[in-house]
Amino acid sequence: MEVIKTKNIIKELMKIALVQLDIVWESKKINCDRAEFFIKKALQENCDIIAFPEMFNTGFSMNVAAIAEDENGKTALYLSRMAKRYGINLIAGFATKAFKEKKGRNMAFVYDRKGELVSKFTKLHPFSLSNEDRYYIPGRDTVTFNLDGMPSSIFICYDLRFPEVFRKIAREVQSIFVIANWPTARKEQWELLLKARALENQCFVIGVNRIGTDGNGIRYPGASHIYNPSGIDICSGGEKEEFVTGIINPDDVNTIRSNFPVLEDMRYLTRDIKAKQKGIET
């Protein structure tokens, strides 16, 4: 984290690397090797966080038997080792499967600079249009976590279309990550929804999407973005660019919410949120 001192002001900035990986279909070794290349690059550029797309090591495959692994398996150990070796906060998604379950889980994992698992999240809304719901179990709840003191949350791809889950954790966080394999055919919707989630929840929304073409012939546009709490685009990735960086000031969230307290005027969900904060059953 970079600390900038000015007269009577100390601002802590966070530099975030978005890796729009051109994922090689179901090739874990190649994709993990490429990931390390970008982790090294992020270190060289003094990034605090590096984020990879949904199913970064295989692409958006329904071939659960071939690609899914234990959530504490080789890929998890690899990501933990990379975070620790390079001293960087790391976010990535991959497919998992418990031994006794027939279906897999589309999950995201968050590691701190020491390689410790900070949080894990299962995609809440499998994409039924591509039959994801036939192969993957939906998650049950949202998660929140801290990265270098920044309260954050994470969602996966299709979750972006469901604003109620974002609203549920909005007051608790300063940033929300969305990792995705979002196709070129719906690029405009991806960008519009990221911006909307940032604006309506008054927080940073960090969307990380892949590029290239997958094993099903589906093209992906990159178009990774960081939107600030006012919905302004801080950085964006192109269709061929694999490495994008943006700098944020998490304290901007507190300033904007204080100056324009939209979340304080919420009528729906407010009772449940306040009860949760007081430890009251609703």
Side-chain angles (χ1 to χ4, degrees):
M1 181 182 291
E2 181 181 1
V3 178
I4 297 179
K5 295 184 179 181
T6 60
K7 187 176 182 180
N8 298 323
I9 297 175
I10 298 178
K11 291 186 177 181
E12 291 187 344
L13 306 182
M14 298 192 75
K15 188 172 184 180
I16 303 173
L18 314 178
V19 182
Q20 306 189 138
L21 201 63
D22 187 354
I23 302 170
V24 179
W25 190 247
E26 297 182 357
S27 299
K28 294 182 182 181
K29 176 67 166 59
I30 296 174
N31 293 316
C32 285
D33 287 347
R34 288 286 290 162
E36 185 172 9
F37 169 83
F38 288 114
I39 295 168
K40 289 178 181 178
K41 184 174 176 63
L43 179 66
Q44 292 167 356
E45 298 199 12
N46 297 314
C47 295
D48 299 290
I49 302 171
I50 186 167
F52 291 89
E54 173 187 22
M55 292 193 186
F56 87 100
N57 60 342
T58 61
F60 188 58
S61 170
M62 302 300 107
N63 190 5
V64 173
I67 69 166
E69 58 188 80
D70 187 89
E71 63 180 61
N72 298 311
K74 288 184 178 180
T75 299
L77 292 173
Y78 165 81
L79 293 172
S80 174
R81 188 170 65 250
M82 291 296 101
K84 182 177 181 180
R85 177 180 297 174
Y86 297 104
I88 193 168
N89 298 292
L90 191 156
I91 296 172
F94 61 92
T96 72
K97 183 180 178 300
F99 178 72
K100 293 183 179 180
E101 292 178 340
K102 293 182 180 180
K103 294 182 180 181
R105 297 175 187 271
N106 185 345
M107 298 186 69
F109 294 82
V110 183
Y111 298 89
D112 66 16
R113 297 177 186 271
K114 296 179 181 178
E116 297 293 329
L117 179 65
V118 171
S119 188
K120 59 184 178 181
F121 168 79
T122 300
K123 189 176 186 179
L124 297 173
H125 304 89
F127 187 45
S128 60
L129 191 63
S130 67
N131 295 318
E132 186 182 7
D133 56 324
R134 290 176 54 188
Y135 300 97
Y136 292 94
I137 300 168
R140 294 184 177 181
D141 207 353
T142 56
V143 298
T144 59
F145 53 89
N146 280 304
L147 288 178
D148 287 356
M150 179 173 67
S152 305
S153 187
I154 189 166
F155 294 100
I156 300 176
C157 205
Y158 193 44
D159 289 333
L160 183 61
R161 290 185 178 270
F162 300 89
E164 62 275 10
V165 295
F166 285 73
R167 186 66 98 193
K168 181 179 179 182
I169 48 84
R171 294 187 185 208
E172 302 174 41
V173 303
Q174 293 176 324
S175 69
I176 302 174
F177 292 83
V178 182
I179 62 173
N181 275 208
W182 196 287
T184 300
R186 292 183 288 278
K187 175 176 179 278
E188 289 186 7
Q189 291 93 325
W190 159 254
E191 293 174 316
L192 176 63
L193 291 169
L194 287 173
K195 183 172 185 175
R197 298 295 89 85
L199 180 62
E200 68 197 7
N201 295 302
Q202 295 184 308
C203 66
F204 290 97
V205 170
I206 301 144
V208 188
N209 193 33
R210 66 162 292 180
I211 61 171
T213 303
D214 72 12
N216 294 315
I218 298 172
R219 290 181 57 235
Y220 298 88
S224 297
H225 290 269
I226 298 177
Y227 288 99
N228 81 0
S230 296
I232 296 171
D233 195 9
I234 292 177
C235 69
S236 60
E239 194 167 353
K240 296 182 179 180
E241 187 179 12
E242 287 193 273
F243 188 84
V244 183
T245 63
I247 296 175
I248 69 171
N249 182 353
D251 284 341
D252 286 349
V253 174
N254 302 328
T255 301
I256 288 171
R257 289 180 178 178
S258 176
N259 292 338
F260 195 65
V262 173
L263 298 181
E264 295 301 317
D265 291 332
M266 280 197 305
R267 294 183 61 198
Y268 301 100
L269 292 181
T270 300
R271 181 179 68 87
D272 294 342
I273 291 170
K274 288 183 177 179
K276 180 181 178 182
Q277 290 173 342
K278 295 178 180 179
I280 302 171
E281 291 294 332
T282 59

